[in-house]
Amino acid sequence: MSTTLIAGGTIVTASGTIDADVLVEGEKIAVVLARQPGLNVSMTADRLIDATGKYVLPGGIDVHTHMEMPFGGTFSADTFETGTRAAAWGGTTTIVDFAVQAKGTSLLATLDKWHAKADGNCAIDYGFHMIVSDVNDTTLKEMDSCIAAGVNSFKMFMAYPGVFYATDGEILLAMQQAARSGATVMMHAENGIAIDQLVAQAIAAGRTDPVNHGLTRPPELEGEATSRAIVLAQVANCPLYIVHLSARQALAAVAEARDNGQNVFAETCPQYLYLSLDDLARPDFEGAKFVASPPLRPKEHQDSLWRGLRSNDLSVVSTDHCPFCFKDQKELGRGDFSKIPNGMPGVEHRMDLLHAGVVAGQLTLPRWVEVASTTPARMFGLYPRKGVIAAGSDADIVIYDPAARQTLSAATHHMNVDYSAYEGMEITGQVVTTLSRGRPVIDEGTYAGSTGHGTFLSRGLNQYLV
Ligand code: URP
Ligand code: ZN
Ligand code: ZN
């Protein structure tokens, strides 16, 4: 079994920092040994990684990605191969992607289809959530089979009527079914019925530019849908996880439910922390690069989101990585913003953008690791295999240089998309080395991974349920 010693670094965990060395044996962490004056223990290994001056982190876990997702008449541009490679460049060692049930198809056939897309193609480990878009007796029964197959989180949509939308009654039925096994329902909480009316009014009035995507999806309609989802989950006694929360109205609803002791959790994404409605309003159709749902909000929402991350009303930061190229894909919506495929790239830069939040004083170092790795692992049944640097855990480890400077750009990123949402942004901090189950995927700034190294993760239940 090959061994690697990571020596001289500062381990950052969700509970603090510690100057310690890590011995990796095969795919697992064998020993974490604190360096103390007077204590002289020598460890030898096949390979020595000198992490002096660097952080040593548990690999990032991005629980919201969409590789090769069918959407808006096209497919998101990253395959499992290109997307997981890009993730590793940014220090993410696990993704949880969404299998997408098409109307009229079964959940189990959908799961098989997503296994066929991912198996043998991923550079890092992966799991699946299931998008339920067709609630009927068969689907409801199949939810149990999904859970037995290691997929125990089900995303539903209050948005996109005619595509993924589910009625309140359908949502209640699915929540009742999930609740029987302790599974989690994940909710895209926007009032799609009201939004569709606003969209039709805007198009009829000739307001067709990308900024209208944001203006027709007001934050109040995210707040309203979030509150409704919370009430439905309360009635069904079902754990609820609000995905890609963007608006302070929605955050207030989540905070209230959590104060009341309900099993309600939420994530936000870097785009809502850093980008705004102003980006959607960029001229010459450039705003299309920023079309995602929920939309980017006016800047005032950002402070509330950072505060929510500190207070744990927002527990996780994921990316909702769903890239569409500007050319030929985003361009499908020239002259009609409602035809722009919804989604933005981001899987590569989540750890960096959150570290930038640490540098800016928005988050502490341990909170960075907690929202990007440890809590996602616990929330989606991967802990302690993932999300922690401890003996016995998978050796998913990132060596991070907190002093490196980098400029985000499409010219240098590794995602299979022709633009960067953060083009030209200068940040401090960069991944040096990423290990996935003990194997280097990124090795001192060079790709060293292999397609097919990543394995499917059968996940347990949410570990935060009260
Ligand atoms: O615009 C987005 N968010 N696209 C991906 C699908 C989803 O709703 O998460
Ligand atoms: Zn969504
Ligand atoms: Zn999504």
Side-chain angles (χ1 to χ4, degrees):
M1 206 183 292
S2 95
T3 53
T4 303
L5 179 64
I6 303 167
T10 300
I11 298 181
V12 186
T13 73
S15 48
T17 58
I18 165 175
D19 290 330
D21 301 337
V22 184
L23 182 67
V24 172
E25 261 179 21
E27 300 198 339
K28 301 284 182 188
I29 295 170
V31 181
V32 179
L33 189 72
R35 292 189 301 280
Q36 293 166 31
L39 180 69
N40 230 336
V41 179
S42 76
M43 294 192 281
T44 53
D46 302 324
R47 178 172 179 199
L48 173 70
I49 297 178
D50 179 6
T52 306
K54 313 286 193 303
Y55 296 147
V56 179
L57 318 170
I61 301 178
D62 189 343
V63 294
H64 190 151
T65 67
H66 302 279
M67 307 303 173
E68 41 196 296
M69 182 195 184
F71 197 34
T74 183
F75 285 83
S76 58
D78 262 318
T79 61
F80 280 89
E81 182 177 349
T82 63
T84 55
R85 214 160 49 203
W89 274 104
T92 287
T93 51
T94 299
I95 60 162
V96 188
D97 202 90
F98 289 83
V100 187
Q101 181 200 25
K103 286 218 190 290
T105 65
S106 88
L107 294 187
L108 289 177
T110 303
L111 193 53
D112 285 348
K113 202 166 163 181
W114 254 261
H115 274 300
K117 286 173 192 250
D119 293 357
N121 290 322
C122 293
I124 55 168
D125 290 349
Y126 60 95
F128 293 126
H129 313 285
M130 177 60 69
I131 286 180
V132 181
S133 59
D134 198 350
V135 177
N136 54 50
D137 287 348
T138 313
T139 304
L140 291 170
K141 284 203 194 83
E142 281 186 318
M143 286 171 69
D144 285 344
S145 310
C146 289
I147 294 165
V151 175
N152 46 40
S153 35
F154 300 91
K155 183 178 176 190
M156 303 193 76
F157 289 78
M158 301 170 115
Y160 305 127
V163 189
F164 297 128
Y165 174 81
T167 64
D168 288 358
E170 290 166 338
I171 289 168
L172 185 73
L173 289 176
M175 284 179 165
Q176 287 172 331
Q177 184 68 30
R180 287 183 196 111
S181 338
T184 295
V185 166
M186 308 169 80
M187 190 59 72
H188 181 132
E190 287 185 290
N191 184 329
I193 299 289
I195 286 168
D196 269 13
Q197 296 301 327
L198 297 176
V199 170
Q201 287 168 1
I203 301 287
R207 290 182 269 117
T208 59
D209 287 345
V211 69
N212 292 290
H213 174 77
L215 299 176
T216 55
R217 306 179 86 94
E220 290 77 9
L221 293 182
E222 186 184 341
E224 182 277 329
T226 303
S227 300
R228 191 157 32 99
I230 288 168
V231 172
L232 292 169
Q234 187 176 31
V235 170
N237 195 23
C238 177
L240 175 67
Y241 180 92
I242 303 291
V243 291
H244 46 45
L245 188 149
S246 71
R248 61 175 173 228
Q249 291 86 340
L251 179 57
V254 167
E256 189 186 340
R258 289 174 61 77
D259 286 349
N260 291 336
Q262 206 180 325
N263 281 317
V264 171
F265 312 92
E267 65 176 20
T268 190
C269 311
Q271 54 269 34
Y272 302 119
L273 296 166
Y274 285 98
L275 303 171
S276 76
L277 191 63
D278 295 348
D279 294 294
L280 263 174
R282 290 196 201 182
D284 302 325
F285 196 63
E286 213 198 322
K289 294 177 179 173
F290 304 91
V291 166
S293 295
L296 301 180
R297 301 299 184 188
K299 277 200 180 68
E300 304 84 82
H301 291 256
Q302 292 172 357
D303 268 351
S304 306
L305 298 182
W306 283 113
R307 215 173 311 122
L309 279 173
R310 290 191 291 273
S311 69
N312 203 35
D313 288 324
L314 294 169
S315 311
V316 169
V317 177
S318 69
T319 58
D320 192 12
H321 175 75
C322 190
F324 296 102
C325 288
F326 184 70
K327 189 167 163 24
D328 294 339
Q329 292 194 296
K330 291 288 186 182
E331 281 179 337
L332 293 169
R334 267 195 201 277
D336 180 349
F337 70 87
S338 70
K339 296 199 166 53
I340 300 170
N342 283 204
M344 287 174 58
V347 74
E348 190 168 344
H349 298 309
R350 183 182 63 118
M351 300 295 282
D352 288 331
L353 288 165
L354 288 174
H355 182 258
V358 174
V359 173
Q362 296 281 15
L363 295 179
T364 62
L365 271 178
R367 188 65 183 153
W368 172 41
V369 167
E370 191 165 32
V371 299
S373 177
T374 309
T375 298
R378 289 195 159 125
M379 191 73 73
F380 292 100
L382 292 167
Y383 188 90
R385 180 170 171 192
K386 307 287 191 189
V388 61
I389 294 192
S393 295
D394 279 359
D396 290 0
I397 300 175
V398 173
I399 317 297
Y400 196 84
D401 182 351
R405 298 280 298 160
Q406 59 168 320
T407 304
L408 305 186
S409 170
T412 48
H413 74 200
H414 303 87
M415 299 176 285
N416 186 35
V417 61
D418 61 2
Y419 74 93
S420 170
Y422 305 96
E423 187 65 45
M425 183 172 170
E426 290 182 13
I427 54 175
T428 304
Q430 190 165 29
V431 168
V432 179
T433 292
T434 301
L435 302 184
S436 164
R437 284 182 284 110
R439 292 260 304 271
V441 184
I442 306 302
D443 198 347
E444 301 199 9
T446 304
Y447 184 71
S450 58
T451 303
H453 164 78
T455 58
F456 173 69
L457 298 166
S458 177
R459 296 181 293 105
L461 294 177
N462 184 328
Q463 295 164 4
Y464 287 106
L465 303 184
V466 288

